[in-house]
Amino acid sequence: MNSSRPQEVRTAARPSLRQEVSEAIKSYILDNHLKPGDPLPSEAELCTALGASRSSIREAVKTLAVLDIVEVRRGHGTYVGRMSLSALVEGLAFRGLLSPKNDFRTLSELVEVRELIERGMAERIMATLAPEDLDALDALVDEMDRRGAPDEQGLAACDRAFHERLMEPLGNKLVSQLSLAFWDVYAIVAPQLKGISEEAQASTVADHRAIVRAAREGDVDGFVRALSGHYAPVRRRLAEARVTDGAAREPGPTA
């Protein structure tokens, strides 16, 4: 009677057929040195090459398309996908929708990662910024100043545009997508945060001006200090939100 239990465990532990075929397609891409944008063989050719059924190939392709490993172009075929973090972006955003109050930690970690990237790449960022980029950044800071603290959504939109323009000349799509992940989750969680004060808004504008000024002057240390100054109040608001939320969750005294 118990003899069937080990067999059940082995069956559950086996990867699904879809997973096996997905791994086979990934191996095919690597073994044939295909690059992003290169076409994959037709469905029939993949069936022959991998020894899999059409339905298995279709299900595996769907799975890989969700992960951006392959790209399906209707009427044209299937291609090797381009480097993308869109699956990460969607996962983080959905997690925020499920439970925004629990997502303060996720947002805090994203802030830390973005700050580390921008500070770590400070010299490269400054080297790639052209005069027109700096002018555009100055214009965005002016727009932040005009919007002021009451328009927190507009302020966040300008902040997002500022950092996208700051990183864009690097031509690093993964970094840009990570930035997008931060802002998508921020837009979901922000309503749970304490509103920004006029003093904090003025400090945010000043920090962004300092970032552009340091870039114009080629002052790497000043650039890094300005970035740290910019992220400090964001981290503080998130820390306060986590403390407040934690206190709210503590059970009250029992009767």
Side-chain angles (χ1 to χ4, degrees), residues 233-246:
V234 180
R235 291 196 304 271
R236 186 165 55 249
R237 289 177 72 199
L238 287 166
E240 290 172 356
R242 290 178 65 183
V243 170
T244 301
D245 186 54

Side-chain angles (χ1 to χ4, degrees), residues 8-205:
E8 290 174 3
V9 172
R10 284 197 300 271
T11 302
R14 277 197 65 197
S16 67
L17 181 58
R18 178 193 299 184
Q19 188 176 351
E20 288 180 351
V21 177
S22 297
E23 290 300 320
I25 292 174
K26 289 194 287 185
S27 295
Y28 181 93
I29 292 170
L30 294 173
D31 292 344
N32 288 276
H33 308 291
L34 300 182
K35 298 177 182 178
D38 285 350
L40 283 172
S42 68
E43 188 178 278
E45 290 170 332
L46 280 175
C47 288
T48 301
L50 304 180
S53 67
R54 283 181 177 270
S55 60
S56 297
I57 294 292
R58 287 172 190 162
E59 290 301 312
V61 166
K62 287 179 185 177
T63 299
L64 296 175
V66 170
L67 299 173
D68 287 330
I69 292 174
V70 303
E71 177 188 357
V72 179
R73 302 178 191 172
R74 291 186 179 275
H76 295 280
T78 304
Y79 296 77
V80 179
R82 302 190 182 279
M83 288 191 299
S84 172
L85 290 178
S86 61
L88 169 65
V89 172
E90 291 199 19
L92 290 170
F94 185 66
R95 178 175 166 182
L97 283 170
L98 283 175
S99 186
K101 288 186 178 180
N102 288 337
D103 230 35
F104 295 134
R105 180 170 183 173
T106 299
L107 190 55
S108 297
E109 291 171 351
L110 281 169
V111 170
E112 184 177 1
V113 170
R114 287 189 67 240
E115 182 181 357
L116 287 171
I117 289 173
E118 291 183 357
R119 290 175 59 184
M121 301 181 75
E123 288 191 53
R124 287 188 58 196
I125 292 170
M126 291 171 56
T128 57
L129 288 171
E132 56 268 25
D133 295 316
L134 295 170
D135 291 342
L137 291 170
D138 271 330
L140 285 167
V141 178
D142 290 340
E143 182 65 18
M144 280 186 203
D145 202 8
R146 281 194 295 271
R147 288 180 179 273
D151 185 6
E152 189 166 350
Q153 286 188 343
L155 196 64
C158 289
D159 202 343
R160 172 178 179 152
F162 180 96
H163 288 273
E164 284 183 340
R165 187 62 186 249
L166 190 70
M167 306 302 287
E168 185 180 349
L170 288 173
N172 190 319
K173 291 183 179 180
L174 293 182
V175 169
S176 297
Q177 288 176 27
L178 186 60
S179 179
L180 180 63
F182 167 81
W183 286 109
D184 283 351
V185 179
Y186 181 86
I188 293 166
V189 179
Q192 309 294 329
L193 300 176
K194 182 180 177 182
I196 187 170
S197 65
E198 289 189 10
E199 181 181 358
Q201 184 266 339
S203 177
T204 296
V205 171

